Amino acid sequence: MRKQIISTLVPALFAAGAATMATAQDVVTYQLDWLPGGDKSPIYVCIEEGFCADAGIEVEIVPGRGSTEAITKIATGTSDIGSADIGALMAAAATEEVPATAIMSIFNTGPHAFYTLAGNGIESFTDIEGKSVATSPFTSSNVYLPLVLADNGLTEDAIELTNADPGALGPLLMTGRTDAIIAWLTNVSIFEAQAAEAGKELIILPWSDAGLELYSAALIANDTFLEERPDVARRFVAAFTQSLEFANANPAATGAAVAAIVPELDAAMVEAAWMDSSVLAFNEITEAFPLGSFDADRVAKTWTRVAAAQDLDPAAFDPETVIDRSFVAAE
């Protein structure tokens, strides 16, 4: 369902990709790592609620096609700043020079999870042994799957893994053609709706509960932008933080903010997707460390996971070299 919705929106979304505030002074090009949606809400809140304008910043939003492309556009200066997976930045920087830096955590938890149904015999993570599991061939979850299985005493041979189109994962699960699927926590509401329609009870097993500790989405900025316009970057981070906090407290207004700028999206669906996604930013980790911050221990654990998943030497790269904490006011 989600793919169908997105496919019909793509031309209009790209046409509506640039959103501007007439009264702002400093122009910032913001790179999304995917199409507009609930998990991208804070930047739309920043514009629609006036937080960016109050900071003296005019924002142009550019849609993306994944973290790798987003980081490339940021590193080359096509965009000034944007959202992308910090693990993808670490992996890229470990093998080549990438003039981009992570300056704020957006999601302090990975979005990866197993979805299954009551009655499928999967009540806990290790119950996945011997079960059929469907996944999208291009999701980053696939690279972490062997790691989280190993954490729980399992190998990839323990499951029957098949690839499927992302839009087919829900129907495969609901019709019993697979025991479980791999999907992100940002889409809980979509699968819950499908399960309710099928008269089924959905069970979600986040991999973060099974030992996969890592940061995921982060604000990543071009190094030249940070060097030449540090004050703009600091004001942007402050406004973005304000937007995150507003979105967490006002999910309905958040859905409306995105739909106001991208009218092809339904405000209620965006609100639901944001509520799914917000748990990745506001959770027990946020209670221990300030919103937007990078804890050194969790950064190290993230790199350890990325290195293992990408078959890189963990000792050959310092993940702290791609992080600058000075732009987050709380630190």
Side-chain angles (χ1 to χ4, degrees):
M1 177 182 292
R2 181 176 172 82
K3 181 179 180 181
Q4 292 174 342
I5 293 171
I6 288 175
S7 65
T8 59
L9 294 176
V10 168
L13 293 175
F14 273 79
T20 60
M21 300 297 292
T23 57
Q25 184 176 3
D26 294 300
V27 177
V28 169
T29 303
Y30 186 91
Q31 180 70 52
L32 298 178
D33 56 359
W34 196 245
L35 301 176
D39 57 332
K40 318 301 177 194
S41 293
I43 189 59
Y44 294 93
V45 168
C46 198
I47 295 170
E48 188 64 14
E49 293 295 329
F51 300 139
C52 284
D54 291 345
I57 296 173
E58 175 183 340
V59 178
E60 297 178 351
I61 301 176
V62 181
R65 292 289 185 179
S67 287
T68 299
E69 183 200 69
I71 292 169
T72 298
K73 289 186 174 179
I74 293 168
T76 57
T78 301
S79 297
D80 299 310
I81 194 169
S83 58
D85 188 279
I86 192 172
L89 176 62
M90 290 176 178
T95 57
E96 61 183 334
E97 184 177 355
V98 180
T101 300
I103 60 174
M104 176 182 175
S105 168
I106 301 175
F107 294 151
N108 57 33
T109 301
H112 320 286
F114 285 131
Y115 286 73
T116 187
L117 299 174
N120 284 357
I122 307 173
E123 301 291 335
S124 65
F125 191 93
T126 53
D127 291 338
I128 203 71
E129 184 174 12
K131 303 297 185 181
S132 58
V133 180
T135 185
S136 169
F138 303 112
T139 176
S140 62
S141 301
N142 295 338
V143 301
Y144 295 114
L145 176 63
L147 307 182
V148 73
L149 286 174
D151 288 344
N152 291 274
L154 302 173
T155 68
E156 290 182 88
D157 294 336
I159 61 174
E160 180 187 342
L161 188 65
T162 59
N163 289 326
D165 184 277
L169 292 176
L172 284 173
L173 179 62
M174 305 312 161
T175 57
R177 285 178 287 171
T178 186
D179 296 318
I181 61 174
I182 295 172
W184 283 14
L185 295 171
T186 53
N187 294 321
V188 168
S189 58
I190 293 175
F191 294 116
E192 282 185 338
Q194 293 178 354
E197 185 177 353
K200 309 285 187 179
E201 180 184 350
L202 193 67
I203 295 175
I204 304 169
L205 301 173
W207 293 1
S208 57
D209 291 347
L212 190 66
E213 297 181 51
L214 43 76
Y215 286 107
S216 55
L219 271 186
I220 295 173
N222 174 269
D223 284 350
T224 301
F225 167 70
L226 295 178
E227 180 180 349
E228 296 182 352
R229 300 198 289 166
D231 178 60
V232 177
R234 288 191 176 88
R235 283 188 276 124
F236 181 87
V237 169
F240 192 89
T241 302
Q242 188 177 8
S243 303
L244 260 175
E245 293 170 337
F246 177 90
N248 187 48
N250 304 277
T254 297
V258 178
I261 297 174
V262 190
E264 293 81 7
L265 294 178
D266 178 78
M269 293 184 65
V270 173
E271 176 188 352
W274 165 247
M275 292 181 69
D276 294 341
S277 306
S278 63
V279 299
L280 302 176
F282 297 92
N283 46 49
E284 67 279 4
I285 298 170
T286 322
E287 294 173 1
F289 304 98
L291 181 66
S293 65
F294 289 108
D295 169 59
D297 181 60
R298 196 170 182 82
V299 167
K301 288 179 178 177
T302 301
W303 167 237
T304 298
R305 295 295 194 166
V306 170
Q310 302 287 343
D311 196 24
L312 298 169
D313 180 2
F317 176 73
D318 180 1
E320 290 289 344
T321 60
V322 298
I323 293 174
D324 187 337
R325 295 175 173 81
S326 68
F327 292 90
V328 176
E331 294 192 335

